[in-house]
Amino acid sequence: MEIKKMLFNKKKPADERIQKRTNEITAKVFPIIFSLALASFLIKIGCRLPFTVYLLEIITLVIGALVWIVEELRFGTFLVKNKDDALKELSDKAKTQSFMAMFWIVIIGELLYICLIDKAYYMWVISYFVIWLPCALYITILTIKEGLLIFGSKKVENNTKKNLALRTFIGSLFFGAFVGFNSYFHDGAFDPSGLKAVLLLAAGWGIPFYLLFVGFMKIAEKSADKKLKKVD
Amino acid sequence: MKNKRMKIARVECDMTQEQLADAVGVTRQTIGLIESGNYNPSISLCIEICKALNKTLDDLFWTEDLK
């Protein structure tokens, strides 16, 4: 029952200060991910590669642009030149939503690409790392440095760690099952001895991810407290 | 400008910054920044803080300079 609550309960609204600043940071990265996806598309067209090799870029760019325009129209901020603070906040929110859509399309599309593409074009998967990795690194480093990726209180820290552990456990099992597919399913048959490999892969990804994430949050918490001491 | 009235109201209610933060759904650091005058909360957050401290908006957030 508690596990169900942890996975499916509606999240409390985020701290408005952190949400605002995170949206500002992500909004700055939105043109970068768009440009990287566009550059990847143009390079692949220039190299006269088959349509399937750059299909993901087309989907990413079209959906990214659509989400951005629709959200800006919804907020009434589309092409507004002199934005006051409130309009800028809404515009940042629209760009953040578009960025997140593009980011997840590239991440999931990359996995599908690896499974479905002709082995001759495998190496082009690097283009997707180039699209999402710099953006993810920039956002992660800045949110830690500015003290935004924080727990905020002891109570939230305990709940967050439990939640994170559960989600990491489930995610790492999926990871292990996906990456280690050939170890438990080969020659059209299920091989239970291959499940050991799945568990090892899951642990190999899940444990470092959990420890790293919690570590980052502790660093961000110290950074946030340091900033607070400076202004006090 | 520091919000001393909010800090005093919080102390009168015997609440730490963390407890007030939990009550209104923000982080401890945000409460600290509001009290030190380094973050302007939205009106809805101001209202939540007032509810948690049993005060009015005038009591905690009205600036004397505006009168």
Side-chain angles (χ1 to χ4, degrees), chain B:
Chain B
M1 206 169 70
K2 288 196 180 197
N3 194 333
K4 290 180 185 168
R5 285 176 288 166
M6 181 177 146
K7 187 170 182 173
I8 292 166
R10 176 176 60 76
V11 169
E12 279 174 1
C13 291
D14 207 17
M15 284 176 110
T16 59
Q17 284 185 342
E18 196 166 312
Q19 285 167 331
L20 179 57
D22 279 337
V24 302
V26 296
T27 60
R28 172 181 51 83
Q29 289 84 355
T30 297
I31 296 294
L33 287 168
I34 296 171
E35 286 182 357
S36 65
N38 285 283
Y39 175 68
N40 287 328
S42 66
I43 197 77
S44 48
L45 181 54
C46 288
I47 291 169
E48 290 301 311
I49 291 170
C50 290
K51 278 186 195 164
L53 299 177
N54 223 6
K55 296 282 182 189
T56 66
L57 284 170
D58 275 359
D59 292 336
L60 300 186
F61 297 103
W62 185 255
T63 315
E64 285 299 319
D65 296 345
L66 293 175
K67 276 193 183 165

Side-chain angles (χ1 to χ4, degrees), chain A residues 14-81:
Chain A
D15 180 312
E16 61 170 47
R17 177 186 66 90
I18 289 174
Q19 193 67 70
K20 231 183 271 188
R21 186 61 192 130
T22 308
N23 284 351
E24 269 174 36
I25 292 169
T26 315
K28 277 196 190 137
V29 184
F30 164 68
I32 296 173
I33 196 172
F34 201 92
S35 307
L36 288 171
L38 185 62
S40 175
F41 167 71
L42 293 172
I43 289 168
K44 287 176 178 178
I45 287 254
C47 294
R48 294 173 196 271
L49 296 171
F51 174 71
T52 45
V53 180
Y54 54 81
L55 174 62
L56 183 57
E57 280 85 336
I58 295 173
I59 295 171
T60 306
L61 290 166
V62 167
I63 292 183
L66 272 173
V67 170
W68 174 59
I69 291 167
V70 165
E71 289 298 289
E72 290 254 12
L73 283 170
R74 196 165 71 90
F75 295 141
T77 54
F78 188 61
L79 299 179
V80 170
K81 281 194 183 148

Side-chain angles (χ1 to χ4, degrees), chain A residues 50-123:
Chain A
F51 174 71
T52 45
V53 180
Y54 54 81
L55 174 62
L56 183 57
E57 280 85 336
I58 295 173
I59 295 171
T60 306
L61 290 166
V62 167
I63 292 183
L66 272 173
V67 170
W68 174 59
I69 291 167
V70 165
E71 289 298 289
E72 290 254 12
L73 283 170
R74 196 165 71 90
F75 295 141
T77 54
F78 188 61
L79 299 179
V80 170
K81 281 194 183 148
N82 298 316
K83 292 188 176 95
D84 61 17
D85 286 348
L87 289 182
K88 197 183 169 297
E89 240 176 80
L90 291 170
S91 179
D92 286 346
K93 194 174 170 183
K95 287 174 187 163
T96 298
Q97 283 166 348
S98 177
F99 171 86
M100 293 311 292
M102 293 176 77
F103 182 82
W104 283 110
I105 287 170
V106 172
I107 293 279
I108 292 167
E110 186 184 10
L111 291 173
L112 292 171
Y113 183 91
I114 292 169
C115 297
L116 301 171
I117 202 70
D118 190 326
K119 284 188 166 57
Y121 304 108
Y122 242 26
M123 60 164 241

Side-chain angles (χ1 to χ4, degrees), chain A residues 101-189:
Chain A
M102 293 176 77
F103 182 82
W104 283 110
I105 287 170
V106 172
I107 293 279
I108 292 167
E110 186 184 10
L111 291 173
L112 292 171
Y113 183 91
I114 292 169
C115 297
L116 301 171
I117 202 70
D118 190 326
K119 284 188 166 57
Y121 304 108
Y122 242 26
M123 60 164 241
W124 288 99
V125 76
I126 293 171
S127 62
Y128 302 122
F129 283 106
V130 171
I131 293 172
W132 68 262
L133 192 59
C135 301
L137 280 174
Y138 178 83
I139 291 171
T140 304
I141 290 168
L142 224 61
T143 50
I144 293 169
K145 201 174 159 201
E146 295 211 7
L148 302 173
L149 189 69
I150 55 175
F151 301 113
S153 76
K154 261 281 170 261
K155 184 174 148 192
V156 172
E157 182 175 343
N158 294 334
N159 287 339
T160 304
K161 280 181 176 169
K162 271 190 220 165
N163 223 310
L164 179 66
L166 180 64
R167 285 167 196 263
T168 304
F169 175 72
I170 293 169
S172 59
L173 283 176
F174 271 104
F175 174 82
F178 180 79
V179 173
F181 183 76
N182 286 330
S183 61
Y184 61 85
F185 197 87
H186 44 85
D187 302 323

